[in-house]
Amino acid sequence: MFAAERRQLILEMVRANGAVSLRELARVVQTSEVTVRRDVRALEAEGLLDRRHGGAVLPGGFSREPGYPQKTHLAAAEKSAIADLAAGLVEEGDAVVVGAGTTTQELARRLARVPGLTVVTNSLLVAQALAHANRVEVVMTGGTLRGSNYALVGSGAEQSLAGLRVSKAFVSGSGLTAERGLSTTNMLSASVDRALVQAATEVIVLADHTKLGSDTMFQTVPTEAITRLVTDEQSAAQDPTARELDALADCGVQISLAPLGTPAEPTVHSGGPAHPMTPHQAPPAGGPRRTAPPGAPLPGQRRPGHAALMAPPAGHRPALSRP
């Protein structure tokens, strides 16, 4: 195990438990206490933890990364709507990679209905959601289990993805900005996600509105490598996140907005804050949100030279979910 991987595991254990002895750290990372003590000193020098006699503790005021139980309750309705819309991007017989996360877990539950699908993943939760699906083949990476999100990480996971080629990658993260792209709080997770997206022709980011405009420590996918963002319609209804959507569209990212509660009628981001409309209202000035006609194809076609996205033509019905 490389020093960077070892130190990241040490930091994760301290974050998860608050305090860990050197003996326990040495046992988990499978090295000597002398080496672990040196790693702890290096992490303390970076301000990531504090040394104590015989162990390491969280520094004062250092917040822990939310664990899986906490993440499942954050923006649950939005994640469900995003997963509904993203599932319509997958066709029968596709080969895709799906990264770890609570939103990608929701997507996996819907992909279980797509026949002839091959899914490569480093997530135990994604694999579990697809375990009993008929005619869906699941391929798991190797690697070391990261218990906080049930994902396989490390050099073993990355090496198992070398030489792989699939049509699409579905990934999530902790933050997304036009300036820096997708990012996460964990170095090992970021490294595996980079290997996942390198295997795909198209990179599709699943991120609810709470992640837009947030920039976290480790970059996963630069903006120019993102093909499409699938987010919830609240992203276009709030000024800061609506501006971030415009900036992402200017960078060439296709934007798909998932409506809450009505998955059959996706909305299209058209630049500027969203405003509700009735059939008898004129569109508000400044670029409204438009509702695609029922049965219209998935949104996301970008108008050249403009941050707005074109409304899809009527008359074509996509499969937002598979039977």
Side-chain angles (χ1 to χ4, degrees):
M1 185 181 296
F2 295 110
E5 293 177 324
R6 192 173 61 242
R7 290 172 185 176
Q8 183 62 39
L9 288 176
I10 291 171
L11 186 57
E12 286 182 16
M13 288 185 63
V14 175
R15 287 180 180 177
N17 299 282
V20 187
S21 69
L22 292 177
R23 179 177 299 178
E24 179 65 9
L25 291 172
R27 184 188 67 81
V28 172
V29 302
Q30 298 180 350
T31 190
S32 67
E33 289 188 31
V34 173
T35 301
V36 167
R37 188 176 290 108
R38 187 164 55 245
D39 290 335
V40 168
R41 286 198 192 100
L43 291 169
E44 183 183 47
E46 296 177 30
L48 299 176
L49 52 74
D50 290 338
R51 283 187 299 159
R52 292 293 183 269
H53 181 69
V57 300
L58 284 172
F62 194 93
S63 59
R64 301 182 187 182
E65 180 185 7
Y68 172 76
Q70 291 77 30
K71 290 180 180 179
T72 56
H73 298 294
L74 296 175
E78 289 85 347
K79 292 173 182 177
S80 180
I82 289 168
D84 284 334
L85 187 53
L89 300 172
V90 180
E91 300 177 355
E92 181 176 345
D94 270 351
V96 301
V97 294
V98 180
T102 51
T103 311
T104 52
Q105 181 187 16
E106 287 294 320
L107 172 63
R109 290 173 177 147
R110 289 144 179 86
L111 295 183
R113 301 190 293 269
V114 183
L117 185 65
T118 300
V119 177
V120 181
T121 185
N122 70 319
S123 169
L124 298 186
L125 298 174
V126 168
Q128 183 183 42
L130 295 166
H132 301 292
N134 292 326
R135 298 180 60 191
V136 175
E137 182 178 2
V138 180
V139 180
M140 294 207 67
T141 69
T144 302
L145 178 63
R146 182 173 180 244
S148 61
N149 66 344
Y150 301 95
L152 297 171
V153 297
S155 58
E158 295 169 41
Q159 290 170 9
S160 67
L161 294 165
L164 181 71
R165 176 55 63 181
V166 298
S167 61
K168 301 176 182 73
F170 294 88
V171 292
S172 188
S174 302
L176 176 66
T177 65
E179 180 180 0
R180 194 156 172 258
L182 188 67
S183 60
T184 185
T185 58
N186 181 266
M187 180 177 64
L188 296 180
S189 294
S191 187
V192 174
D193 281 352
R194 282 193 290 269
L196 286 170
V197 301
Q198 286 172 2
T201 304
E202 299 179 37
V203 177
I204 301 166
V205 171
L206 311 182
D208 62 75
H209 68 277
T210 65
K211 297 176 181 178
L212 286 182
S214 177
D215 189 10
T216 54
M217 187 175 294
F218 300 101
Q219 185 191 58
T220 302
V221 189
T223 307
E224 59 270 18
I226 300 173
T227 307
R228 182 188 295 266
L229 165 65
V230 183
T231 187
D232 59 274
E233 63 181 354
Q234 291 192 55
S235 298
Q238 304 170 17
D239 286 343
T241 50
R243 287 195 297 269
E244 201 69 55
L245 288 181
D246 284 337
L248 286 163
D250 280 336
C251 294
V253 178
Q254 301 174 26
I255 310 294
S256 296
L257 299 181
L260 299 179
T262 54
E265 298 184 3
T267 57
V268 181
H269 176 59
S270 59
H275 300 277
M277 291 174 52
T278 69
H280 303 290
Q281 288 179 317
R289 181 198 73 191
R290 291 177 289 173
T291 303
L298 289 171
Q301 297 301 312
R302 185 170 184 266
R303 181 183 297 123
H306 195 278
L309 300 179
M310 297 176 62
H316 301 280
R317 180 177 297 275
L320 294 184
S321 60
R322 299 285 178 176

